[in-house]
Amino acid sequence: GVPRVDPQTYRWLCSYTDAQIRYPERYVLAQLHDARKAAAAAGTEFRVLTHHQVRRRGERFEIARCGEEDPVEALQPPLVINATGAWGDLTLERLEIPEQRLLGGTRGSHFVTFHEGLKSALAGGAVYAEAKDGRLIFVLPFGEGVLVGTTDERFSDPPEQAVASEAELDYLLSMVRTLFPQTGLEREHVAMHYSGVRPLPRAEGGRTAAISRDHRIHVTVGPPPVLTLIGGKLTTSRLLGEQTADLVLERLGRPRTANTRERPLPGGDDYPADERGAHDRIREIARRTGWQERQVRAVWSLVGSMAGDILAESPAAPGPLAEQTLAGTDLPLPFVRFAVEREWTETLEDLVERRLMLVYEPHLARETMVSLARCLVDRGRLKPADVDAAVAAAVGRLASHYGRSLSTVPAVEARPAAEPLRTRAGE
């Protein structure tokens, strides 16, 4: 259908098709899965050290777990790639690399709503529209809800402190009401919000919209030489990776032997061409593994075609599927364990915000948080005595950073338990 915008304000419409990366965090994980796969094929060591920090000791770099003094490793690298995004200048400072300020990030804030009137007004489509200040604002379908963004405010504090302000939320709400006055969208309809800092090149003065969104690689002469990645976005991220690799290979005197142009990411292998194909694949995985279709779909939404292999390793056991499913969600517990064991998970926040993407789950309940914490205990990532404190800290962060409060409806009531699927061979 055609989105039902206010025809008195917006008299002309044009349409085009676009793609959407719903979870950039999952895109990063797909890249890491791919790097691990490539390293294994080449016989090269590959490690990802989450929740670690680097300290410089002369020409040596010590790696230690956050909060701990004793290093787990010390290196003297011939070259350093600073791919820390909006933290780029802070990384250089921490590593005692003398350099001028390279970045001047801007904050972009968004909110998610589950307002049925707005979902209906979108009619399955998405809208980009120009606000009075000239910025383009988008209103997009986002799973069960609608995503609205974005702002563009200069931001000089540490990027992890970026939180959507009430002024930004009012700005976005006002724009939605201009587009769709019939919906009556108000502040209480905002289910959650989030904010990030763009790693843009430093630019003094002028409009933030005029700052280049292109990317470049800045080289700081060593020892050791440091390549700092500036700018860029998801649509050009693999190109930036290739260009960075070219610089490294040139210094090593080695040619490039592969590129990413025709290399699908894990989860994109043999991906169905349309929604019908995806539905058929999900149904086939459900038949083969014993999980219900909606449970397979929940995994598919996070890992794409990897869902078949992951769930085939842990098919549903005889008995009620509800007991094998994460409370308040459709996610099979074996997939949660996969995320903990195979996706470099250390904390409860990792699971909620950056692996299972439950920060967007409308019915997220304390019961779900406790179940996740117990999974971490079972996998040795959390001590039993620390469960309550970990849950309290994660819940507090959801409130302070995302404006999220937990559902007051018990998880089992918010989302009915899945019934066993009776199509497995032998049942």
Side-chain angles (χ1 to χ4, degrees):
V2 178
R4 298 189 294 274
V5 300
D6 181 7
Q8 299 304 314
T9 304
Y10 297 95
R11 297 178 180 273
W12 296 92
L13 299 175
C14 63
S15 65
Y16 69 100
T17 57
D18 202 352
Q20 180 184 37
I21 294 181
R22 185 169 161 196
Y23 300 132
E25 297 85 351
R26 292 297 324 177
Y27 174 68
V28 172
L29 288 166
Q31 298 274 24
L32 292 176
H33 282 299
D34 196 34
R36 178 165 55 190
K37 179 180 177 181
T44 302
E45 182 182 15
F46 176 76
R47 286 185 292 165
V48 176
L49 301 177
T50 57
H51 299 281
H52 282 67
Q53 58 187 354
V54 180
R55 298 185 295 256
R56 185 170 185 178
R57 298 287 188 266
E59 294 186 8
R60 292 170 64 82
F61 293 81
E62 294 181 351
I63 303 172
R65 290 187 62 86
C66 291
E68 298 181 6
E69 286 297 321
D70 295 335
V72 298
E73 191 168 353
L75 305 171
Q76 191 167 340
L79 181 144
V80 174
I81 300 174
N82 176 13
T84 56
W87 286 265
D89 286 325
L90 296 174
T91 299
L92 292 172
E93 181 180 336
R94 184 178 185 85
L95 296 183
E96 301 175 12
I97 306 294
E99 184 57 85
Q100 62 181 335
R101 185 179 171 191
L102 300 173
L103 294 108
T106 65
R107 180 179 64 196
S109 295
H110 320 69
F111 72 76
V112 175
T113 179
F114 299 99
H115 190 277
E116 289 297 331
L118 182 57
K119 290 172 63 176
S120 176
L122 279 177
V127 170
Y128 283 82
E130 186 176 5
K132 292 180 180 179
D133 60 2
R135 276 201 54 76
L136 283 176
I137 303 300
F138 57 73
V139 186
L140 310 174
F142 193 78
E144 296 181 43
V146 176
L147 175 66
V148 179
T150 176
T151 58
D152 198 11
E153 305 283 342
R154 291 188 183 273
F155 192 79
S156 58
D157 294 334
E160 67 271 15
Q161 296 179 12
V163 177
S165 68
E166 287 298 321
E168 287 175 298
L169 296 177
D170 287 343
Y171 169 82
L172 295 174
L173 284 165
S174 175
M175 184 60 190
V176 174
R177 287 193 290 266
T178 300
L179 276 165
F180 304 103
Q182 72 274 26
T183 63
L185 194 71
E186 298 293 343
R187 178 65 176 86
E188 64 263 25
H189 297 129
V190 174
M192 60 88 67
H193 52 72
Y194 68 91
S195 191
V197 179
R198 305 174 181 90
L200 303 181
R202 184 183 181 185
E204 298 294 343
R207 295 173 60 245
T208 54
I211 303 175
S212 172
R213 264 53 174 178
D214 201 356
H215 63 253
R216 63 186 178 91
I217 304 167
H218 180 87
V219 180
T220 302
V221 178
V226 179
L227 309 184
T228 298
L229 279 53
I230 303 172
K233 46 191 175 181
L234 290 176
T235 49
T236 57
S237 60
R238 297 182 96 183
L239 172 62
L240 179 54
E242 287 189 5
Q243 292 174 342
T244 305
D246 285 341
L247 283 176
V248 174
L249 290 170
E250 181 182 349
R251 289 173 176 271
L252 295 176
R254 299 178 61 179
R256 177 212 288 277
T257 60
N259 62 55
T260 64
R261 294 172 193 176
E262 297 185 9
R263 181 184 179 93
L265 287 169
D269 303 83
D270 191 29
Y271 199 87
D274 52 31
E275 287 295 324
R276 181 63 189 177
H279 176 76
D280 291 344
R281 185 76 62 81
I282 288 169
R283 176 175 292 179
E284 183 275 326
I285 295 171
R287 289 196 184 102
R288 180 159 47 93
T289 64
W291 296 103
Q292 201 173 58
E293 282 185 35
R294 72 181 192 183
Q295 295 173 305
V296 176
R297 187 172 292 106
V299 177
W300 182 279
S301 71
L302 297 175
V303 299
S305 61
M306 287 176 63
D309 291 339
I310 294 171
L311 294 178
E313 291 181 4
S314 302
L321 291 187
E323 297 177 4
Q324 306 172 54
T325 305
L326 178 66
T329 78
D330 289 328
L331 290 171
L333 284 172
F335 179 73
V336 178
R337 291 191 284 269
F338 170 87
V340 173
E341 295 171 354
R342 301 292 305 280
E343 296 193 325
W344 309 280
T345 298
E346 295 289 337
T347 69
L348 185 55
E349 288 85 355
D350 284 342
L351 284 175
V352 175
E353 301 175 30
R354 297 177 285 275
R355 304 298 190 278
L356 306 180
M357 309 315 300
L358 294 174
V359 65
Y360 299 107
E361 167 57 51
H363 306 298
L364 184 61
R366 190 177 190 280
E367 181 183 353
T368 313
M369 306 290 282
V370 172
S371 295
L372 290 172
R374 288 173 179 162
C375 286
L376 291 172
V377 170
D378 292 342
R379 264 53 201 171
R381 304 297 199 276
L382 186 66
K383 296 178 180 178
D386 294 336
V387 166
D388 288 344
V391 170
V395 171
R397 178 174 159 81
L398 286 173
S400 62
H401 276 67
Y402 301 98
R404 277 286 331 244
S405 56
L406 298 186
S407 173
T408 57
V409 179
V412 292
E413 295 180 20
R415 188 179 293 272
E419 292 299 322
L421 189 70
R422 300 300 182 187
T423 56
R424 276 172 71 184
E427 288 191 349

